[in-house]
Amino acid sequence: MATIVTDSNLCSICNKPSARRFCIGCKKYFCPKDFKEHEQQLSIKFDNEIVRSHDELLNQIPKLEKSNFLSLDLFDQIEQWKNTTIDKVKKAAEKAQYELTKLIDKQRITIINQLELITREIRCRREEENFVENDIDELKQKINKIKQKLEQFTQKDTTKTIIIINNDQIDLNRLIYIQEQQLDCEYIALQI
């Protein structure tokens, strides 16, 4: 009986018609000798390209855990943001204190000036003995007004307030936060 030789019966390496082995990966036929060599080459390729790369990655894990190399820059950015924010808050508080001092000085000077005017008027009227009941009532009203202003100025008044935005009105967690982003690889993004 004659054997018909087709391309599919030929070994893809030595072209011998005794190709009885088929590789489902590369879809080629091999003779037993060349098939063994093909398997050895696949084993070497697997070790070189897969196992070695995997082992290299495993060796990188302890380095990452020990050094936190990637995280150091992010921690530095967070610390810098914190310091910058604290500086801004301090400057805002200093500005408010300066403006409050100016306002208090302005009110104090206004009261002193009004009191000096009344003091001159009182001295003048006393020296000239030029006053009647209406003058006494008018001066008394002026003194009472200044007295009220001075009491408002010197006493703690709970109706006077400085508008301060409390922490519960500002969501501090939205000012700075960490967000995981995914592309081909994962990394951490600092949102400021």
Side-chain angles (χ1 to χ4, degrees):
M1 195 178 234
T3 313
I4 302 173
V5 178
T6 64
D7 285 342
S8 63
N9 291 359
L10 296 176
C11 175
S12 62
I13 302 289
C14 66
N15 288 325
K16 290 181 183 175
S18 59
R20 294 186 192 139
R21 313 246 189 222
F22 179 73
C23 176
I24 59 171
C26 65
K27 310 267 190 267
K28 294 180 182 176
Y29 287 92
F30 297 92
C31 68
K33 178 187 156 228
D34 289 334
F35 188 69
K36 212 172 220 187
E37 189 177 318
H38 181 65
E39 284 181 325
Q40 288 174 347
Q41 289 174 352
L42 285 175
S43 180
I44 292 170
K45 185 175 183 177
F46 185 82
D47 286 345
N48 288 341
E49 294 180 15
I50 304 301
V51 175
R52 186 177 291 150
S53 294
H54 176 262
D55 291 346
E56 287 173 1
L57 281 175
L58 283 176
N59 288 335
Q60 294 298 321
I61 297 299
K63 291 178 185 176
L64 182 64
E65 288 174 355
K66 287 180 184 176
S67 71
N68 285 331
F69 178 73
L70 295 175
S71 302
L72 291 178
D73 183 49
L74 296 175
F75 281 110
D76 288 345
Q77 287 181 46
I78 292 170
E79 189 65 24
Q80 183 179 4
W81 174 85
K82 179 183 83 171
N83 292 335
T84 302
T85 303
I86 289 170
D87 288 344
K88 288 178 182 178
V89 170
K90 284 181 180 178
K91 286 178 183 174
E94 288 169 359
K95 180 182 176 196
Q97 290 169 337
Y98 174 76
E99 289 173 357
L100 179 60
T101 302
K102 278 179 40 179
L103 181 64
I104 290 169
D105 286 346
K106 180 181 175 185
Q107 289 176 350
R108 183 180 51 82
I109 290 169
T110 301
I111 290 171
I112 290 171
N113 288 341
Q114 289 174 348
L115 192 57
E116 284 177 359
L117 288 174
I118 291 174
T119 302
R120 282 190 223 134
E121 189 175 344
I122 290 172
R123 284 182 185 153
C124 183
R125 289 188 183 271
R126 172 60 91 192
E127 288 173 3
E128 295 174 0
E129 292 187 11
N130 182 15
F131 52 88
V132 291
E133 288 85 359
N134 289 345
D135 294 332
I136 293 173
D137 289 340
E138 183 182 318
L139 286 171
K140 190 174 182 178
Q141 284 179 358
K142 287 180 182 181
I143 290 172
N144 282 337
K145 281 183 184 179
I146 293 175
K147 186 177 179 181
Q148 285 176 350
K149 285 182 183 180
L150 188 60
E151 285 174 2
Q152 287 175 349
F153 186 70
T154 58
Q155 291 180 358
K156 184 174 181 179
D157 188 357
T158 57
T159 61
K160 292 180 185 175
T161 57
I162 296 173
I163 298 173
I164 298 175
I165 299 175
N166 294 323
N167 286 348
D168 58 347
Q169 292 174 316
I170 297 175
D171 186 0
L172 295 174
N173 294 322
R174 299 311 306 158
L175 291 179
I176 183 171
Y177 58 94
I178 304 298
Q179 177 180 341
E180 183 178 340
Q181 295 182 350
Q182 293 180 338
L183 296 173
D184 289 340
C185 60
E186 293 182 8
Y187 63 94
I188 297 174
L190 178 64
Q191 302 289 326
I192 299 179

